Amino acid sequence: MADPTNHYEKVADLVVERHRHELNEISQKIWKTPEVAFEEHFAHDLLTGFLEEHGFSVIRHWKKIRTAFWAEFHSKNYQPDLHPTVALLCEYDALPELGHACGHNLIAETAVAAALILQAVLGGIGNDCFIQGRVIVLGTPAEEDGGGKVLLIREGAFTDIDFAMMVHPWGLNDLEPVVLGMTDCKVDFYGKAAHAACGPWEGLNAMDAAVSSYEMVARFRQQMQHDWRLSCIFWNSGTRSTSIPDWTTCRYDVRALTLSDLNYLKGKLVEFCNAAAKATGCTVKFEWAEAPYSGMMHSSVMSQLYRKIAAAKGVVYPNNVPAFNGSTDMGDVSLVVPSIHPGFYIGQPLLIHTADFRRQAGSMEAQEPTLTAAKTLALTAVELFLSDELRKRAKEEFMTRRKQFVG
Ligand SMILES: [Zn+2]
Ligand SMILES: [Zn+2]
């Protein structure tokens, strides 16, 4: 029998060459029609229409989320209890004002391209080493704001999925970007209004409470670990300086890699705010985010496979790269099933969420690295499909590391 790895590389090249123009068109259309969280109707219809036309079984508006979808293809003798399911996670939301400055148009392209490759593999086209399994393209809206994946997890969307994979356009090749867990809290301090000149002693100053809480946070930063973050803005600090403010609102963002660290920081913030309220005679109310993001626990079994396949294509993922320290709802997925989220270089060393990155994500220069990343993603899935041993190792690693991560 021929070397199976080599065989599937050829399948991947063939499929990408066949669909190169359509794939670029999908990415361009999404890039030119930026839609923010939960408003991605154009992208939803475009992607589901394309996948359906190409032989995938599609469920639109999946789990009652208007812009989520499920698209499935499985091998002929696939049996759910026996054969693995790999999900390719597909993002397509844009940023307000900045458009596709996070390059999610390219994420959609990689997911669709990898899905077409895996369809060819599972469909056994010219395949003398037949694989049983299932590939899902999971349309996950609202990554930038609202946590589409968090909502889908709550709806049990990952129950039948064994492995989750995606790649993200990046300013460098980053195999396992450091993704911090994140939540936010709206904190309202309530005091008592009084004339600021004639009778300030009658008042209770809500702004003093907010400032005191912030001062405690600012001092605490000296004791924070390198991957902890606490930041704050003041949303409302009263309406006129002639009155003692009786209501002040601030928003705190809390970030840490592990869930146990995130919970610790949340506890500290509550302590500081309660102490500030007590010291100023005010009261305090906390409103935590509905869909906090977890930190990312990369499956090293899967990411090392990805690295090996990329290297064979001449794409190097170095060991020591600067920590990203941003957040994504893919972190939550990584605590449900073994997952990867490599960042792939799209030709310019740029930061995401900038106008320059938006331009690059829509450029022809980004196309070749995008298609290479899609092939690498698909071939990583192929290796998982091929090897019981690898799947077992990935699942064992997941169970062991999750215990430490969640705490
Ligand atoms: Zn982003
Ligand atoms: Zn992004």
Side-chain angles (χ1 to χ4, degrees):
M1 191 177 69
D3 173 8
T5 316
N6 195 336
H7 169 75
Y8 294 119
E9 268 176 36
K10 283 183 189 152
V11 172
D13 289 342
L14 202 74
V15 170
V16 165
E17 283 320 306
R18 190 183 298 158
H19 296 284
R20 178 180 283 272
H21 178 69
E22 291 165 287
L23 291 167
N24 179 238
E25 218 171 58
I26 287 175
S27 160
Q28 280 295 311
K29 283 181 179 168
I30 294 175
W31 186 76
K32 286 175 185 160
T33 318
E35 298 165 302
V36 296
F38 298 118
E39 300 293 329
E40 314 95 327
H41 304 289
F42 173 81
H44 169 276
D45 294 350
L46 179 74
L47 293 162
T48 51
F50 180 88
L51 287 162
E52 201 165 55
E53 255 171 48
H54 287 76
F56 284 74
S57 308
V58 171
I59 306 173
R60 292 174 169 83
H61 321 302
W62 193 45
K63 299 283 180 191
K64 298 196 183 105
I65 299 174
R66 288 272 310 147
T67 53
F69 68 86
W70 167 283
E72 170 176 342
F73 184 87
H74 58 73
S75 56
K76 198 170 163 210
N77 298 317
Y78 163 76
Q79 290 180 45
D81 299 340
L82 283 181
H83 304 127
T85 294
V86 170
L88 301 163
L89 269 53
C90 180
E91 296 174 4
Y92 32 83
D93 60 325
L95 291 151
E97 290 145 35
L98 281 170
H100 276 292
C102 209
H104 292 184
N105 59 308
L106 299 177
I107 297 179
E109 184 178 351
T110 54
V112 170
L116 291 173
I117 297 168
L118 291 173
Q119 180 189 39
V121 169
L122 295 171
I125 298 167
N127 182 359
D128 57 3
C129 181
F130 196 59
I131 295 177
Q132 297 296 340
R134 181 168 68 148
V135 58
I136 311 289
V137 183
L138 213 57
T140 62
E143 188 277 335
E144 295 292 356
D145 187 21
K149 295 184 195 64
V150 179
L151 304 182
L152 286 168
I153 290 167
R154 285 183 194 161
E155 293 295 322
F158 288 81
T159 315
D160 299 331
I161 288 167
D162 296 299
F163 304 97
M165 311 168 66
M166 63 174 286
V167 282
H168 195 302
W170 225 246
L172 74 170
N173 284 328
D174 190 350
L175 188 69
E176 296 187 347
V178 176
V179 168
L180 301 181
M182 178 189 171
T183 188
D184 62 76
C185 189
K186 178 171 165 277
V187 184
D188 289 296
F189 291 99
Y190 298 100
K192 187 179 159 204
H195 195 287
C198 306
W201 50 85
E202 297 288 336
L204 296 169
N205 195 323
M207 195 177 78
D208 279 354
V211 170
S212 299
S213 74
Y214 180 71
E215 280 176 346
M216 281 185 259
V217 164
R219 278 168 183 67
F220 176 65
R221 287 199 187 113
Q222 288 178 82
Q223 274 71 52
M224 293 200 335
Q225 303 279 352
H226 67 96
D227 55 4
W228 295 357
R229 301 285 184 278
L230 268 171
S231 55
C232 172
I233 55 165
F234 284 21
W235 265 344
N236 142 47
S237 58
T239 48
R240 51 189 182 277
S241 54
T242 51
S243 284
I244 299 293
D246 62 346
W247 174 37
T248 298
T249 309
C250 27
R251 172 178 152 145
Y252 281 99
D253 282 6
V254 186
R255 297 182 199 237
L257 181 62
T258 65
L259 204 57
S260 46
D261 282 358
L262 195 68
N263 285 335
Y264 174 74
L265 284 185
K266 283 170 71 177
K268 292 304 287 182
L269 178 64
V270 169
E271 270 178 36
F272 296 147
C273 293
N274 280 333
K278 192 170 182 195
T280 52
C282 295
T283 56
V284 60
K285 198 182 99 197
F286 301 94
E287 206 177 300
W288 289 95
E290 269 184 35
Y293 287 5
S294 298
M296 176 94 197
M297 189 180 83
H298 302 271
S299 162
S300 68
V301 173
M302 289 163 68
S303 63
Q304 290 308 327
L305 271 180
Y306 183 95
R307 170 182 268 158
K308 183 191 79 178
I309 295 162
K313 296 185 177 306
V315 180
V316 176
Y317 279 79
N319 269 324
N320 297 312
V321 294
F324 167 57
N325 288 334
S327 301
T328 165
D329 55 4
M330 189 61 185
D332 295 81
V333 177
S334 76
L335 296 182
V336 179
V337 288
S339 303
I340 53 167
H341 182 283
F344 66 94
Y345 181 61
I346 55 168
Q348 296 287 336
L350 300 166
L351 283 175
I352 56 171
H353 291 206
T354 59
D356 286 343
F357 196 87
R358 185 189 71 81
R359 267 190 296 279
Q360 188 65 12
S363 73
M364 274 317 286
E365 194 185 7
Q367 276 306 291
E368 216 46 55
T370 298
L371 295 174
T372 304
K375 287 182 204 172
T376 311
L377 198 61
L379 292 170
T380 304
V382 168
E383 295 227 10
L384 285 172
F385 280 128
L386 280 170
S387 169
D388 294 347
E389 173 59 27
L390 274 174
R391 294 200 301 276
K392 191 163 157 265
R393 268 179 49 213
K395 288 192 175 180
E396 279 171 2
E397 179 200 46
F398 171 81
M399 297 305 285
T400 311
R401 290 186 57 208
R402 193 179 185 282
K403 277 188 203 135
Q404 301 156 357
F405 206 86
V406 173

